[in-house]
Every structure is written in structure tokens, then in C-alpha cells.
Amino acid sequence: SSGTRNQTSTSKSSTKSSSPRSTPLRLPLVSSSSIRTPRKMSEGRSSLTEQRVINYLNSNPKFLENYVISNAVDNTTFHRWAGKRNLREKRHSSKTLPAQSWTGKDLESRRRVIHDHSHDASRMVYEIGVCMTQVISASSDSFEAIIENEDGSFSLHRTSDGTLKQKKVKRNGRPVPQHTQKLINCEGGTIGQIEFHSTREITSKERQILNIIGTWASSCVHFAQLSSQLQEHGDQSEMFLRQRKLHSFLLDVAKSIFQDIVSMDNVIIKVLNFAQSLVNAERTSLFLVDSKTKELYARIFDVGQGNDEHTKINSDGNKEIRFPMTEGIAGYVARTGEVVNTENAYEDERFNKAIDEKTGFHTTTILSMPIFIRTSVIGVVQMINKKEGIFNKADEDAFEMFAVYCGLALHHAKLYDKIRRSEQKYRVALEVLAYHSVCHRDEVAKLKELDNLDKIVELETYDFNGMKLSELEKPLYAVYMFRTLFNDKFRFDPDDLMRFTLTVRKNYRRVAYHNWAHGWSVAHAMFVLLNSTDIFTPFEALALFISCICHDLDHRGKNNQYMKNMATPLASIYTTSVMEHHHFNQTVTILQQDGHNILKSMSSDEYKKALATIKKCILATDLALFFKNRAVLSGLIAENKFDVNDIDHRERLQAILMTGCDLIASAKPWQIQTETVKVIFEEFYEQGDAERKNGSDPNPMMDRTKHMELPQMQVGFMRGICVPCYDVIAAIIPQVGKLRDQCEYNAKMWEKLAEEQKQRNEDAKANGTEELIVP
């Protein structure tokens, strides 16, 4: 170590006195652990000339070897030196090669030459050409080989004294060769070729030998190129480890495609977990492309900290993160199919900073990669914050191979989900067919016999009690309401209208409350409302009335949460508004039956618009959607901004009217209200019994053992939903003020009963008994 420092300082002091021919060589300090410097090198030397260094290196080759491999010379410099030496060797390769027969010793010698130049594919092609030339060149002047590689075209021929000589030749203008041997890589590309020109015939055996050597040579060049790539990426063992890890996962993905697919979420979690570890990122997200809405979405959107934990939007996974493809880096990748690798996210104008501001996470580096199936982008994987350094070309290359398998896995998972959903739809269809059928011919005939009603005045008030009607009278009155509202606007086929009404009745199940009587009652409320206002167009009015009479088709007496908790086939088909989606699909099914399409007089566009309105209206009966509709309308009314001609305002009004008609029992006279509540709670209790039978604790409203709390529960329902609903409707349509007033009266009556029940309960506790106050 001290000797090395002495010689370095000596070289510095002698620089000024050196002549141009003897410029001193300055050697950088090298670890003493890797180089053993002879003592005499540092003793008694006042100057260190180039010639002395050369003499020393010639007599101490081990020192030079240790110096070069000790990382004192970086890889780039070393390969540049090697390249210069190869070029000089090629330029001086015109010196003769000894003529000799092809022996095992020669083969071993040539193999060593090729091995020594394994980092240089062009030199290897040249050496292979020499091998082939020596194998088949028998005479002195009958044979010439022309080798073509990346450096150009070279001619090899045997001279009169039996030696091989090389010269550079032009690529074009040569005669047709007797044989051309191409060297093909693993991807099928040509890496070089050798032409053979001879005055004699090249035998079939020689051609066979050339093919064998060519095949062997192609493998050599492939591994030479692989070795060169590994050297460029640094540590070979690390590269091989990454490749092995990648191949192992690709095998795992391939297995999951055919064996382990349970859901799309499982595949996404696999993709995220491996992508995060593959490139050593802090976090990884996968966004799928919704080609219909031009959006990116994710239910599972983040994997981080190198573990298997993942984040869902909620416990059910029913909601999603969604944003337009025009936003953020992920959106750019989805639109263009290009890779984005940025070292500083905040300097990239495409980066959406809002997410960092919302989560408190700070993004620095981003690698965003597209996932293709065929030529379409189906998803974007975004790796965030490489733990060490920045994302590099090696990360991009590794993920590019992985992305092919990701695309296949996601595509097959989607297909699996579709098949599973189709299977569940098939099961639901079989169940419905087993329970329902269209109306019978004699039912239509009997209804036609009674179809001679005059004006029914009592139907034109909200107070009408539909429960007093018989099973035959309800469809008769329903047909009457259809005709009263729309006969002068639509050309209904009389038989079609009757068949439609009777089949709707048949498709309501015999449950305690959500049955045909309830559907008829809701339709009657809409009938009265449409009779008292002309806000809506005839098409909108017809859609609203059909929506009301069909809004609970095939209801099973159980709510949406029950369907999800019990993992019913319907819940696996529809993730939101489960029963409401089913009610709409049943409506469409009935309209599509022969002799049932009461909308057939409409044009194609009118029919599509009518179905779209019916769908929105039936889905609006999901109380989960009521609160947002009410909040929006209340805000517009408070600011005096409600505009019935605004499409969004108009659709929200239609939605809240559907809720108001669905809740019409709460605005009926007190006697009808109390009778209806008894029926409603009986259905609730049946659901609670079923939940308890399946090992779940029911909601208090569904719990039969909490029947003493019924009045207080009804107060909460009236004050929280019913009264606010009619308040909003009455503010827009004053004619509905009567419903608001009656609902308010009923709410006060329930409050009175709840107070009495509370007092009765306190007395019962004192006496050891309990009694329910029934209105």
C-alpha cells in the first residue's frame, strides 16, 4: 500500500520533466488486498517512464491481471479496449493462417478462440467462417468463402502456398454462390451468413457438415449475446436470479389460468404482488380499462410494503375507483399503449397530484406499463417509488415479458367471470320459469267479459284503499288506469294490454307485502299524480306508470342485503341494487313475450328511450339511492335553481316520485297505514327468522323478538325517509301537498304510540310483564 502511494507521488513529480515520447503512466490507487506490488517497484526510483512501466508489466503479467479485474478499470472502458484490439486484429488479419487438416486438436483450439471472443458476436461469426473454410477447402485455388457480419463482407481464400488470407470485399456485385450458410438466432433472425464460391462441386456431405457447424455456431452467438447483456446489467448472478424468479412466477400464472382462477380479484392480487417485488417498488396498482365508458377502474388498487396485503374500496368490493382515461399518467398509458418511466413525478405534467394530496403519500418515481390482449390495452400496471435508485431498462424488459402473461391471465379471468355470471343467470331463469308463466287464455277471456267500466271517480284520490279489491278487480282497474291516462296518446292493442297486465300479476310472488297488491297500489299512486299534473311528456308518463306497476316483479320478500349475505345467484349477477335490477329484467322479459308488447307502436328510438327511463325509475326504488336524490333536489330548491327542463333535474324528480309512490302506504289514511305496517313487519320478521336460521343476527327491524319496539322503529322510518320525501315533492308539485300532510299526521300518531309504548314498557318492567300497543 505504501509502495503504491510512493510510486503515485513519484509519477506526479516527474510529469513536468518527461518528454513527449515518454509520457509517464499514472496508475490509480488499487486495494492492497487484490494487488501485491513487488517491493523493488517502489525503491530507488526517482522517475517512472512509460518504457519502465511496459518492461515491468511484461515481466509481471500477474500484476496487470489483478489490476484490471480489481474494478480499477470499469466495464465500459474494458470493453472499449477489447473492441479496439479486435478491430486491430481484423485489420491485420491478412497475415497467413497455416494450412492444415481439420483435427480434434484444431477443433479444440478454435473452440477456445470462439470462447475468448464470446462477448463479440461479429468476431464469432468471423471465426465460425474460418472453421467452415478449413473444413471443406481441400485444394489451393478452387475455393473462396465470403463472410458477412455486422462489420461488413470479408473474403477468405487459400493461397498457392496453402495458407488462408482475408480481404474486405463489396457486399454487392458478386456471382451467385454455390452454397450460402446462414447463421440464425433463437428468434429466427439472421446474425450473419457465409457464401461459398468454388470451381468444384460442394458435396452433400460437406453441406451437411456446414449445417451442423451453423447450428452449433448459432447457439454460440446466442449465448455470446446473452453474456454481453448480462455484463451490461452488472452482476450476472443477480440477473440470473431475477430471470429465475420471473420464470417461476410465469409458471405460477400459467397454472392459475387453467387451475386456480376463482375470481378476477385473485388474479389481480397475484399480478400486483409480483409486479411490486419484480421491480422492488414501494407500491403497485392495477387499473383495468372500461372501453365503453373510456375510464380506468380498480377495485383492488394498492399493494405495498412487500407483503400480500391489499386494499379494497369496501368490504364487499362493490364500489370502484374510476377516472377518465384522459387523466394522469395511467390514463396516458391506457390511451397510447406507451411505457412511461419518470424519475420525478411532480415534474411530469401528466401526473395527477390530487391523489398524493388526498392520501399523504409522496410519489417520486413511476414506472407505468400497459397490458395488452391482442392489440388492445386492457389494463395499466403502475409501479411507484423504486426502493433503491430509479426504474431502469432492465425493469421495463422484465415487466414486458411478465405483461404478456398478465394479459392472458386477466383475459381468462374475465371470461371465467362471464361464464360464471351466465351460469347464475341460467339458474335464476330456471327458477323463475319454474315459478312463473304467462297468463292463461281463459284469464284474458274472463277479463274481456268484465271490461266495460265507466268512469271510476274514487280511483282519482290517493285515499283509495286497493286492499278491498278482489284478485280479478285489480287487473281490471289497472287496465282502466292505462286507458284513462294513455288511450288517446298510444295505440294499445286491447288483448296485448290485458295479457301484459295479467302476466305482470302472475309474476308477483305470494309474499306478505311485496306482492301484486303492493305493485298495484304504487301504480295507483302514480295514476293519481299523473292525472293532476302535465309536467311529463306522454312517453315519460307511460314509462313512469309501467315502472310503478312492475317495480317489484318477482320479489322474494327479502331485501338486497339478505341477497348478498346469503350469496344468492342474483347477488352474484348484480353487485348493486340487486333486486331492482332483477325487477327491471323481468319487466323486459314480459314485454318481449308474444302478445305482451304494449310499446310496439313506438319507433325504435322511442322504444329504447322508454326502456331506459323504465330502468332508471325502477332502480330509483332502491332506498339506498333516495338519500342522494333528496339531497340534490333539496339543495336546488333551497337555492331556487330547480329547472324542470334540465335533464338531470327532471330525472331526479322522476326518481323521487318513484320513491314517493313506493312509500304511498305512509301517506294513506291512518287505518290503511296501520293495516299495511302490520303486513310489512310480518314480511320483515320472516326475513329475520331466515337469517337466524342461517346463523346470523337479524337487523332489529327484522327481529321478531324486538316487536315491542315497532312504534319507535316506525317513527324513525317516517321522520327519516317518508316525511322528507314528500316535503321535496310538494315543493315542486304543490298538488302532492296532501300526501305530505297525511304523512306528517301519521308520523305524529306513531310518535304518540311510541311514547305510550315507552310508558307501558316501564310499567311492565315494574310489574314483570310486557304488552305491545297495537294501533
Side-chain angles (χ1 to χ4, degrees):
S1 175
S2 60
T4 306
R5 287 195 294 271
N6 287 338
Q7 67 184 16
T8 304
S9 61
T10 302
S11 67
K12 289 181 181 179
S13 63
S14 61
T15 302
K16 294 181 181 180
S17 60
S18 301
S19 64
R21 290 188 177 182
S22 59
T23 302
L25 177 65
R26 297 185 178 182
L27 300 178
L29 292 178
V30 184
S31 170
S32 59
S33 63
S34 60
I35 300 178
R36 295 183 179 180
T37 308
R39 184 180 299 276
K40 67 179 182 177
M41 186 66 183
S42 60
E43 294 178 354
R45 304 282 181 163
S46 60
S47 64
L48 186 62
T49 66
E50 181 178 345
Q51 187 58 47
R52 285 184 175 180
V53 172
I54 291 173
N55 294 338
Y56 174 77
L57 294 178
N58 287 336
S59 60
N60 294 276
K62 191 65 177 176
F63 170 81
L64 178 60
E65 179 182 348
N66 290 337
Y67 175 77
V68 171
I69 67 176
S70 66
N71 291 329
V73 178
D74 60 76
N75 285 337
T76 302
T77 302
F78 179 78
H79 287 300
R80 187 175 69 251
W81 289 354
K84 287 182 177 179
R85 175 166 179 165
N86 291 337
L87 183 60
R88 188 175 65 177
E89 287 181 358
K90 290 177 182 179
R91 289 173 179 171
H92 293 83
S93 61
S94 58
K95 65 182 181 179
T96 60
L97 298 172
Q100 53 186 338
S101 60
W102 190 254
T103 64
K105 182 177 180 181
D106 298 324
L107 177 62
E108 175 62 21
S109 175
R110 187 55 55 193
R111 187 194 66 77
R112 289 180 180 177
V113 171
I114 292 174
H115 179 269
D116 291 341
H117 294 281
S118 60
H119 62 278
D120 188 341
S122 294
R123 177 60 188 268
M124 288 186 67
V125 173
Y126 169 77
E127 295 295 344
I128 291 163
V130 173
C131 291
M132 291 182 173
T133 302
Q134 287 186 307
V135 167
I136 67 170
S137 60
S139 63
S140 61
D141 57 356
S142 64
F143 177 82
E144 179 185 28
I146 296 179
I147 303 169
E148 289 198 357
N149 57 23
E150 294 177 353
D151 294 328
S153 298
F154 301 91
S155 169
L156 278 177
H157 66 280
R158 193 180 296 280
T159 61
S160 57
D161 61 356
T163 59
L164 286 177
K165 280 195 173 182
Q166 172 190 290
K167 68 177 180 179
K168 194 162 185 176
V169 297
K170 294 182 179 179
R171 290 186 182 271
N172 300 320
R174 297 194 298 267
V176 178
Q178 278 202 14
H179 178 76
T180 300
Q181 182 66 46
K182 289 188 176 182
L183 303 181
I184 308 299
N185 63 17
C186 295
E187 288 78 25
T190 301
I191 55 179
Q193 69 178 32
I194 304 168
E195 296 179 359
F196 295 96
H197 301 264
S198 177
T199 57
R200 67 171 178 83
E201 183 74 21
I202 298 177
T203 66
S204 59
K205 184 175 182 180
E206 287 174 330
R207 292 177 190 269
Q208 185 179 9
I209 293 173
L210 291 176
N211 285 329
I212 293 172
I213 296 176
T215 303
W216 163 75
S218 296
S219 298
C220 289
V221 175
H222 169 71
F223 284 105
Q225 292 172 337
L226 178 61
S227 176
S228 176
Q229 291 173 3
L230 291 174
Q231 290 176 7
E232 289 176 5
H233 287 103
D235 186 4
Q236 294 189 23
S237 61
E238 181 182 350
M239 187 67 179
F240 276 120
L241 183 62
R242 174 178 289 193
Q243 289 292 326
R244 182 176 180 182
K245 186 178 180 182
L246 177 60
H247 293 160
S248 176
F249 179 75
L250 296 181
L251 178 61
D252 186 42
V253 170
K255 288 180 179 178
S256 72
I257 292 175
F258 299 105
Q259 299 176 8
D260 305 329
I261 289 181
V262 176
S263 69
M264 175 69 81
D265 288 351
N266 287 358
V267 176
I268 291 174
I269 292 170
K270 279 188 175 184
V271 169
L272 288 175
N273 284 332
F274 185 77
Q276 188 266 342
S277 60
L278 177 66
V279 299
N280 200 23
E282 285 188 23
R283 293 189 176 183
T284 307
S285 302
L286 171 62
F287 300 99
L288 298 177
V289 174
D290 188 332
S291 57
K292 292 183 179 179
T293 62
K294 302 297 181 184
E295 292 178 313
L296 292 177
Y297 68 95
R299 291 194 305 273
I300 301 168
F301 65 95
D302 181 46
V303 166
Q305 311 306 322
N307 53 35
D308 290 336
E309 295 181 1
H310 58 276
T311 305
K312 283 190 177 183
I313 309 306
N314 62 16
S315 59
D316 297 327
N318 292 332
K319 296 182 180 179
E320 302 167 330
I321 286 180
R322 278 185 175 267
F323 57 90
M325 289 172 61
T326 55
E327 294 183 3
I329 290 178
Y332 175 83
V333 174
R335 294 195 313 273
T336 64
E338 298 176 6
V339 175
V340 172
N341 187 347
T342 179
E343 299 179 14
N344 191 328
Y346 281 81
E347 292 181 358
D348 193 317
E349 61 182 9
R350 297 166 296 189
F351 177 62
N352 185 0
K353 304 175 184 177
I355 296 178
D356 275 14
E357 293 171 356
K358 183 178 179 180
T359 62
F361 182 81
H362 183 73
T363 302
T364 53
T365 57
I366 294 179
L367 176 58
S368 195
M369 305 277 290
I371 296 178
F372 290 91
I373 192 68
R374 297 186 179 93
T375 57
S376 301
V377 178
I378 64 168
V380 176
V381 174
Q382 194 157 271
M383 285 74 77
I384 299 175
N385 292 3
K386 189 174 177 70
K387 293 181 180 178
E388 296 180 1
I390 60 175
F391 297 109
N392 53 34
K393 189 63 167 59
D395 295 325
E396 294 179 24
D397 292 342
F399 190 85
E400 186 175 2
M401 183 186 298
F402 169 59
V404 175
Y405 288 84
C406 290
L408 289 172
L410 292 172
H411 180 64
H412 280 78
K414 279 187 175 181
L415 291 178
Y416 179 83
D417 280 352
K418 286 183 179 179
I419 292 171
R420 188 176 60 175
R421 286 167 61 85
S422 297
E423 182 180 327
Q424 298 292 4
K425 286 183 178 181
Y426 175 70
R427 289 176 58 190
V428 172
L430 286 180
E431 182 186 0
V432 171
L433 288 173
Y435 189 87
H436 302 301
S437 61
V438 297
C439 63
H440 298 153
R441 190 177 306 171
D442 58 342
E443 291 178 305
V444 178
K446 186 179 293 186
L447 193 61
K448 289 177 71 173
E449 291 177 5
L450 301 173
D451 186 24
N452 56 358
L453 297 177
D454 295 326
K455 186 177 179 64
I456 307 175
V457 178
E458 60 181 341
L459 271 182
E460 297 177 6
T461 172
Y462 293 112
D463 294 344
F464 182 80
N465 184 5
M467 290 189 290
K468 70 178 185 180
L469 296 177
S470 67
E471 284 303 299
L472 186 58
E473 287 176 320
K474 287 189 183 76
L476 185 64
Y477 280 37
V479 170
Y480 169 85
M481 289 188 287
F482 263 112
R483 288 177 176 162
T484 302
L485 289 172
F486 310 114
N487 219 22
D488 60 339
K489 303 177 183 71
F490 298 97
R491 300 185 303 275
F492 291 132
D493 181 288
D495 289 357
D496 287 356
L497 183 58
M498 290 183 184
R499 273 190 289 266
F500 175 80
T501 305
L502 289 169
T503 299
V504 166
R505 180 185 70 171
K506 201 172 190 69
N507 277 264
Y508 273 94
R509 296 198 179 198
R510 296 183 180 277
V511 294
Y513 176 67
H514 288 95
N515 50 34
W516 163 239
H518 170 65
W520 188 95
S521 180
V522 173
H524 170 255
M526 183 60 73
F527 167 77
V528 177
L529 189 147
L530 293 174
N531 248 342
S532 62
T533 181
D534 58 356
I535 290 179
F536 303 108
T537 67
F539 288 100
E540 291 173 325
L542 179 59
L544 282 164
F545 188 75
I546 292 175
S547 299
C548 285
I549 203 167
C550 297
H551 82 285
D552 272 335
L553 282 171
D554 197 46
H555 200 292
R556 288 90 189 282
K558 308 292 189 296
N559 62 18
N560 288 336
Q561 194 57 49
Y562 177 90
M563 294 293 169
K564 294 177 183 178
N565 292 342
M566 296 298 108
T568 62
L570 277 175
S572 65
I573 296 173
Y574 313 110
T575 57
T576 59
S577 302
V578 175
M579 291 307 302
E580 289 74 21
H581 273 104
H582 181 58
H583 303 325
F584 169 71
N585 284 341
Q586 288 300 107
T587 303
V588 175
T589 299
I590 293 175
L591 286 170
Q592 289 176 342
Q593 297 289 334
D594 289 340
H596 289 72
N597 191 357
I598 59 176
L599 306 179
K600 65 183 180 183
S601 64
M602 295 182 179
S603 67
S604 177
D605 288 341
E606 290 171 342
Y607 184 74
K608 289 178 182 178
K609 289 179 181 178
L611 285 185
T613 303
I614 291 171
K615 181 175 184 179
K616 290 176 183 176
C617 289
I618 291 180
L619 293 184
T621 59
D622 183 355
L623 277 180
L625 306 179
F626 159 75
F627 300 99
K628 183 176 181 180
N629 289 328
R630 173 184 170 271
V632 172
L633 287 174
S634 296
L636 291 171
I637 293 169
E639 298 175 8
N640 198 27
K641 292 183 179 179
F642 178 80
D643 181 1
V644 74
N645 295 315
D646 183 287
I647 294 177
D648 180 63
H649 298 183
R650 195 177 187 85
E651 289 182 350
R652 289 191 185 277
L653 174 60
Q654 293 170 359
I656 205 164
L657 285 178
M658 289 296 300
T659 303
C661 290
D662 197 13
L663 301 175
I664 192 62
S666 66
K668 291 281 188 181
W670 176 245
Q671 183 180 356
I672 301 175
Q673 153 77 164
T674 54
E675 290 178 10
T676 306
V677 167
K678 293 175 186 177
V679 177
I680 291 173
F681 271 83
E682 183 53 41
E683 185 173 287
F684 285 174
Y685 293 151
E686 288 177 5
Q687 175 176 319
D689 295 343
E691 288 173 329
R692 185 172 281 108
K693 185 177 180 180
N694 284 283
S696 301
D697 292 328
N699 182 293
M701 188 173 285
M702 314 285 181
D703 192 343
R704 194 182 295 275
T705 63
K706 291 182 170 55
H707 66 283
M708 304 296 292
E709 301 174 18
L710 185 154
Q712 187 59 45
M713 291 178 182
Q714 193 63 17
V715 169
F717 179 69
M718 297 286 286
R719 289 298 181 191
I721 296 176
C722 301
V723 173
C725 176
Y726 294 120
D727 278 340
V728 171
I729 297 175
I732 299 173
I733 306 176
Q735 298 93 317
V736 183
K738 182 181 179 182
L739 292 180
R740 178 194 58 197
D741 297 340
Q742 183 63 51
C743 186
E744 177 68 29
Y745 172 83
N746 291 341
K748 290 179 179 178
M749 290 294 293
W750 283 113
E751 287 171 344
K752 180 180 177 181
L753 287 178
E755 189 61 33
E756 292 179 5
Q757 183 67 55
K758 181 179 179 181
Q759 185 61 48
R760 191 70 63 89
N761 289 344
E762 291 176 356
D763 295 342
K765 285 182 181 179
N767 300 327
T769 61
E770 61 179 2
E771 181 181 354
L772 171 65
I773 296 180
V774 180

